Structures are given as C-alpha cells and as structure tokens.
Amino acid sequence: MAKKRPQTKAGRPQLTDGEVPVVGAREPCPCGSGRRYKACHGRAAAHAATELVQRPFEGLPGEGDWVALRELVPAATVELHLKSGLPEGVPSVTLATVLPMAWPALRRDDGSVLLGLQNDTPSGDISRDLADTLRRALEAEPGTPVQARRAPADGPRMQDLLDPEGAFEPVVHSGFEFWVPDPQNAAPEVAASLERANAAAIPTVKLTGVDAAYWCETPDKNHLRWVMPYPEEQLLDALARLHVAGGSSLGEGTRLVGSFRAHGLTVPVWDLPSAVTADDVEKPAAEFAERLATALASDEALTADERRARGGLTNRQVTLS
C-alpha cells in the first residue's frame, strides 16, 4: 500500500478574512491553510448565507410598509434617503417592489437608481443583501442593471445606509409604468412586457388614516391587509378580545379571517364585500385602531371564549417568510 503523503502548508502567504475570495466548496481554501474551502473560510460564509434574520427591516423608518411592499403590494415605489446624501451623478434612489427581468437593481441612463425589493436573496438577511445591491448600483455605469450576488457577511445593512430620520412614503401604482421614463413611447417589446405585468397586478390602495394598511381588490371579494408592529402574542390576545366582544370587524359584511406572519410582524386580514372601496374602509379602520389600542393595554387573563377565538386565529395564520 502506498504511504500517505504528509500534509504540508501551502507556501503562499496567509490571507486575511477580508481578502479570501469565494471558491467551490471542495476546492482548496484560497487562504493557504491546505484545507478545503467548505471546511475553512467557507464554513463562516455558509453560516452567514443560511442564518435567518427574523425582522430584517427592524429599525428602518416604516418597517410595516417595508414588509407590505416586500410581500403584499404589486406595484409601488418609495424615495430613499441616504445617511451620506446622494453621490455625485445620482439624482435619486428609489425602492421599487419589482423591476423588469427581476433585476435586483438598475442604474438608469440619467444616473438614478432603482432598487428592487421583491427578489430572492442569497442570504438569510434581506437587509444586508439589499444594502450590498444598493452600494453596487450607486457605482454602476448608467444604463446597466445590477446582478445578484451573495453579500459579504460583514457588509453594511440598510439600517447603516439609510437616514433614520428620512421619511418612508410609499406611492402605490396601478401598473408598472415607472419601469421606463416614457411608457407612451416605449419599444414594442417593452410595451408588451408592461402590458403583461399590469394585467397580473392586483388593484391595491394604501390607506391614509392608519399605518401600513393596504386595501386590495380580487374577483370575488376585497380585502384589507394591515401590517402591525406589535409583539405577536400580545396582538393575538388583543384580536381575540375584540372578536369575542364583537369589535373585530370593519363594518357590516366585513370579517377578520386570519393573519399572515411576515418578516417578524403579524398581518391581520379582513374580508370585505366587493362594494367596499378603500375610501369606505378608512373611517372603520381608524375606529378599529382605537379599539385595538384599548385591547392591547389589557393585562387580564383571556376568558375561555377568548382563548377559543385566539386558537382560531392561530390556526388560520400563514407564514410568508
């Protein structure tokens, strides 16, 4: 039998963590340790890629709206405000729910930046992936899209790049005309793509009287989906109290039917009659917010009926992230 050859360390100089490039899992680690990448620096990279951040938008202005635009709203844009201000040659930075071809970001011909939110991300921290994409978009050549990649594990997050005092004011669109500067004179293939995207978009309106609540229209009935910032257990208790007391609806013919769980926040959902518009639900939603505040403040134990109502809400909860 042939003797095993003793392992020797590579003669090349050792690299620091920040200098180690990504290679195949079974290839020698570029740091020069003599081990495979997956057993050396790839171990930390794999951990960073899989570790899930439960509330990636926590600490950002408008956290509830970030969640809504990521999961619920078809077409919307928001002007972003950077801590360091806009770089020279970048007139604006705009967050968009989705971009053509599912691009992560686009540097337009005029230098402005569009950052896509509804994209698959390679790590468990959406905020870090978005920040990496945004930084690369700010430096991209005008007129080019930015491709996806795995963000460095020690890279900044959106919380590091955005002004915490900057307003976050989503503008909901009926379609995706914001993709192109002049939709009326778009090339035929672009016009066809816009037409297909617009046909698939569910009509959606953001309520003005309460935060992060979105009315939408579907063929059979309308809905209100409301992203709420409260701890999940406390919110479910409060919703159960209101349900038993007859205060969980938004008016005649409406019904609280369950909730989503998305990016660490809870999103109660109401069924609405098809005749109920976004304007119709503004006042009932504001009144519900007052009832909810009172229910959230209660520290009394749930009654048997309230516990049953809470169990029903929990059983109808769907996790989106």
Side-chain angles (χ1 to χ4, degrees):
M1 294 178 64
K3 293 182 179 180
K4 290 185 177 179
R5 302 176 67 177
Q7 290 187 350
T8 58
K9 292 185 177 180
R12 59 191 170 196
Q14 298 286 310
L15 301 176
T16 65
D17 288 356
E19 297 173 332
V20 177
V22 176
V23 299
R26 299 177 66 84
E27 295 181 45
C29 187
C31 76
S33 67
R35 291 180 291 173
R36 289 179 176 176
Y37 179 69
K38 69 177 183 179
C40 192
H41 281 83
R43 183 180 299 167
H47 178 73
T50 57
E51 186 177 11
L52 178 65
V53 175
Q54 297 292 339
R55 285 181 65 178
F57 308 119
E58 184 176 14
L60 289 172
E63 181 187 6
D65 287 312
W66 278 90
V67 172
L69 267 57
R70 166 76 183 186
E71 299 294 342
L72 306 175
V73 181
T77 55
V78 188
E79 183 179 357
L80 297 182
H81 305 274
L82 307 185
K83 279 184 179 179
S84 56
L86 294 172
E88 184 178 356
V90 180
S92 64
V93 175
T94 302
L95 182 74
T97 47
V98 66
L99 296 179
M101 309 297 291
W103 286 326
L106 172 66
R107 182 87 185 270
R108 281 179 157 166
D109 290 335
D110 66 354
S112 61
V113 168
L114 287 177
L115 177 66
L117 182 58
Q118 295 180 11
N119 293 306
D120 293 334
T121 52
S123 83
D125 187 351
I126 297 170
S127 179
R128 196 179 308 281
D129 291 328
L130 285 171
D132 179 66
T133 301
L134 175 56
R135 293 180 76 188
R136 290 186 290 129
L138 292 172
E139 299 173 353
E141 290 294 326
T144 60
V146 175
Q147 303 301 326
R149 76 169 190 183
R150 187 173 69 205
D154 59 350
R157 307 177 74 237
M158 292 299 284
Q159 288 83 344
D160 302 316
L161 301 185
L162 298 186
D163 182 355
E165 303 300 324
F168 191 83
E169 301 174 343
V171 177
V172 178
H173 304 276
S174 59
F176 295 91
E177 281 75 15
F178 63 85
W179 281 354
V180 291
D182 186 7
Q184 300 300 324
N185 296 313
E189 62 273 17
V190 174
S193 178
L194 275 174
E195 185 176 355
R196 289 192 298 270
N198 289 344
I202 296 174
T204 302
V205 177
K206 176 176 166 56
L207 299 195
T208 60
V210 295
D211 292 333
Y214 291 81
W215 171 96
C216 67
E217 179 184 5
T218 60
D220 297 328
K221 62 186 71 174
N222 299 339
H223 304 279
L224 183 72
R225 301 178 291 191
W226 191 343
V227 186
M228 295 190 170
Y230 313 109
E232 180 180 341
E233 299 302 315
Q234 181 187 11
L235 177 58
L236 290 175
D237 283 352
L239 293 174
R241 296 181 198 278
L242 292 176
H243 181 75
V244 171
S248 64
S249 78
L250 298 174
E252 184 177 356
T254 70
R255 184 168 68 98
L256 175 65
V257 293
S259 63
F260 298 125
R261 183 190 290 115
H263 306 293
L265 298 184
T266 303
V267 188
V269 178
W270 285 262
D271 279 353
L272 312 172
S274 297
V276 174
T277 66
D279 287 341
D280 294 333
V281 83
E282 286 277 9
K283 182 178 178 182
E287 293 171 346
F288 175 86
E290 295 179 359
R291 297 195 299 273
L292 180 62
T294 301
L296 287 166
S298 175
D299 57 3
E300 295 182 4
L302 296 180
T303 66
D305 287 343
E306 289 168 347
R307 288 196 300 272
R308 282 192 291 271
R310 191 187 192 284
L313 288 170
T314 302
N315 290 339
R316 297 193 298 274
Q317 191 173 54
V318 176
T319 300
L320 297 182
S321 58

